[in-house]
Amino acid sequence: MADRPNYPAPHELEKGMTVEIEQSEDADPIVGEVGAVIEEADPEGTVVKLKSGARGRVRSVTHQ
């Protein structure tokens, strides 16, 4: 079995943090500021809504 990526946990995310999200596997990642945490418990990554309105799974924190 392949190792799962180590995505940021919900408790590591705060409003205003700059993160990279993935909306779908075939789309380019989007970087933006967290507006709200939407889904908290998911092994595929925490779903957030960026201040721009985009929603997706957090792949990394780019700036705290």
Side-chain angles (χ1 to χ4, degrees):
M1 181 187 330
D3 290 332
R4 289 183 189 224
N6 189 18
Y7 299 130
H11 69 271
E12 298 174 303
L13 302 171
E14 297 175 12
K15 285 177 84 172
M17 283 182 150
T18 303
V19 297
E20 181 178 280
I21 66 168
E22 181 180 84
Q23 291 184 299
S24 65
E25 290 184 21
D26 57 345
D28 290 332
I30 298 172
V31 175
E33 288 185 43
V34 174
V37 176
I38 306 298
E39 284 181 30
E40 297 192 356
D42 192 323
E44 297 300 318
T46 303
V47 175
V48 297
K49 180 177 181 181
L50 301 181
K51 289 184 177 180
S52 68
R55 292 177 185 226
R57 296 185 188 281
V58 176
R59 295 302 176 226
S60 64
V61 174
T62 60
H63 186 67
Q64 295 186 15

